[in-house]
Amino acid sequence: VDMRIIYILFMFFVLLSCNSKGLFDNKEIVVTVFPETHELKGDSIQLDVLGCVDLYCVDTFLIAYTPMSEKGYFHVFSTSDFELLGSFIPIGRGPNEFYAVNYSSAYKTDDGQVKAWLSNDVMNYEWNITQSVKQKQTVIDTAYKLQGVLSDGVWLPGRDNLMFGFIKRNNNVEYTRYDLKTKKVINANKMFSRDLATDKIATASMPPCLKPDNSKVANIGWWTNYICIFNADFSDMKIVAIYHKPESIDQISATEREERILYYSCSDATDQYVYALYVNQPEKDRRYHFGYEEIHIFDWNANPVAKFIIRENIMFFRVDAYRKCLYGLTSDEKVYRYDVSSYLKEL
């Protein structure tokens, strides 16, 4: 009888330790203050577009994403004067039309040609923005089908035929690098320190962004206040928690989705920094909130750099490293420009 009691107690403490274990093997550092805090004043800008649900800054182009527009998914504007340069990627299922495409947050410049990667989870398209603007029609340079390992998960196109993916597999999320040229997986690593039930994996979702030189990856928490940054080979992982120690995934999963705190809703990255829009409110109140919001800035070693306070209730933002400014989009399609040249030497 005594041995049975000892065994039950042992199993209880094992289960308790598993449930209380953090999301990552590495210990997080709690960031409570930022070295600099600046309140930004937004200048309203007018874009000749309706139905904009997101913005992207690609080189010297500001691109409005309009998935319900008859003119196309993307409306391209100049960042110098916000002139409309054209509407591209026609919506549909017919010849020379595209279905359910998104910008993959990756672009490159080849011999002065700005090219962005688009995806619809079935195909990847290399969209030549420069030639599209010049020819006044959609120009796709290359396209390939997402198959095999690429047919599952979230993938970010990188340089030199590399793809960076996050795949739900075996009760965990696998960070995977894949070489398109050799059609081989370079590395596959489990993100989380323990396996999780399906609903808890969704709760732990951390949308990725890629350093433009492809040397590092950052994951930004939605319902967790984590920011996780690691090298492309999955080494040297650094984890920060914002303002307080994170709740356990079990606690968050037990909360109704609409009642969960949405910590970060949007992120962007440059060669210098990672930027993330800190919301810190229940998702049900997100659209109707009119208080101040914060944009947190970290370097690629997970060190806090600065915090920008935003007056407007922006839903999305993008960084314009060339013009040293940020663009913000509200739920009622108002666009603001924030000059940050006085605060950061490089963006």
Side-chain angles (χ1 to χ4, degrees):
V1 176
D2 291 343
M3 290 302 296
R4 287 179 61 190
I5 293 174
I6 291 171
Y7 176 77
I8 291 170
L9 288 173
F10 172 75
M11 291 304 298
F12 171 78
F13 285 115
V14 167
L15 290 172
L16 183 64
S17 65
C18 286
N19 286 332
S20 61
K21 188 177 182 181
L23 195 58
F24 302 97
D25 286 325
N26 294 17
K27 185 71 175 175
E28 74 274 357
I29 297 172
V30 178
V31 172
T32 56
V33 295
F34 287 79
E36 298 180 23
T37 299
H38 305 285
E39 186 172 323
L40 303 183
K41 184 180 183 302
D43 296 319
S44 179
I45 61 176
Q46 301 298 316
L47 298 182
D48 183 17
V49 64
L50 294 175
C52 178
V53 300
D54 204 347
L55 288 174
Y56 307 107
C57 188
V58 180
D59 200 78
T60 58
F61 301 112
L62 183 62
I63 301 177
Y65 179 50
T66 56
M68 301 300 290
S69 172
E70 294 181 355
K71 297 181 179 179
Y73 281 103
F74 300 102
H75 298 250
V76 179
F77 298 84
S78 166
T79 55
S80 62
D81 56 9
F82 305 111
E83 175 191 359
L84 178 63
L85 303 176
S87 302
F88 307 100
I89 315 296
I91 300 171
R93 295 177 179 268
N96 300 316
E97 292 180 333
F98 301 82
Y99 179 70
V101 297
N102 283 287
Y103 172 50
S104 298
S105 300
Y107 77 90
K108 63 181 181 180
T109 303
D110 284 341
D111 297 325
Q113 306 289 301
V114 179
K115 303 176 182 182
W117 283 105
L118 310 178
S119 176
N120 62 3
D121 297 328
V122 177
M123 297 288 296
N124 257 13
Y125 304 94
E126 189 180 52
W127 173 31
N128 191 320
I129 304 175
T130 302
Q131 285 301 313
S132 295
V133 169
K134 185 177 180 179
Q135 298 180 31
K136 302 298 182 185
Q137 63 180 0
T138 297
V139 177
I140 301 295
D141 282 356
T142 59
Y144 58 87
K145 189 173 183 179
L146 297 173
Q147 53 189 350
V149 68
L150 299 176
S151 63
D152 194 14
V154 175
W155 289 90
L156 300 178
R159 296 182 176 182
D160 301 323
N161 294 301
L162 291 183
M163 296 286 287
F164 297 76
F166 293 83
I167 306 169
K168 293 179 184 177
R169 182 174 291 158
N170 300 325
N171 298 107
N172 212 305
V173 173
E174 270 192 5
Y175 161 67
T176 306
R177 275 193 306 165
Y178 182 81
D179 190 323
L180 288 170
K181 192 172 182 179
T182 62
K183 297 183 179 180
K184 291 183 178 180
V185 171
I186 299 172
N187 61 281
N189 308 87
K190 284 187 176 183
M191 282 289 298
F192 302 135
S193 61
R194 60 188 173 99
D195 293 343
L196 301 168
T198 301
D199 63 321
K200 293 177 183 177
I201 289 179
T203 301
S205 293
M206 300 178 69
C209 56
L210 189 61
K211 189 176 181 182
D213 69 3
N214 289 186
S215 64
K216 288 179 178 283
V217 181
N219 290 78
I220 316 297
W222 273 337
W223 295 308
T224 64
N225 59 330
Y226 282 118
I227 290 180
C228 173
I229 299 176
F230 51 88
N231 291 336
D233 63 1
F234 203 64
S235 65
D236 195 26
M237 178 182 285
K238 293 183 171 65
I239 303 151
V240 295
I242 308 304
Y243 294 142
H244 58 80
K245 287 186 70 64
E247 290 182 283
S248 73
I249 291 300
D250 303 282
Q251 288 175 298
I252 300 170
S253 296
T255 305
E256 292 293 329
R257 177 165 175 159
E258 63 177 14
E259 299 291 338
R260 293 177 190 169
I261 298 296
L262 177 66
Y263 286 101
Y264 288 102
S265 69
C266 181
S267 62
D268 205 357
T270 66
D271 278 321
Q272 300 297 322
Y273 303 120
V274 178
Y275 300 76
L277 180 60
Y278 184 73
V279 178
N280 192 33
Q281 59 186 294
E283 195 165 359
K284 65 177 182 178
D285 300 330
R286 175 73 177 102
R287 184 177 295 272
Y288 309 104
H289 173 71
F290 294 101
Y292 288 12
E293 295 179 328
E294 301 175 1
I295 292 179
H296 294 168
I297 306 170
F298 290 82
D299 67 20
W300 283 100
N301 290 315
N303 298 309
V305 174
K307 174 175 70 178
F308 291 149
I309 297 175
I310 303 290
R311 295 184 179 189
E312 295 77 19
N313 180 30
I314 60 174
M315 303 291 286
F316 302 99
F317 80 97
R318 299 297 167 195
V319 179
D320 186 340
Y322 289 92
R323 301 191 180 277
K324 290 184 167 44
C325 68
L326 310 177
Y327 303 104
L329 175 68
T330 67
S331 60
D332 54 356
E333 298 184 47
K334 292 179 180 176
V335 181
Y336 293 90
R337 181 183 183 276
Y338 303 91
D339 183 358
V340 296
S341 59
S342 301
Y343 310 124
L344 296 174
K345 292 182 179 179
E346 293 183 277
L347 269 65

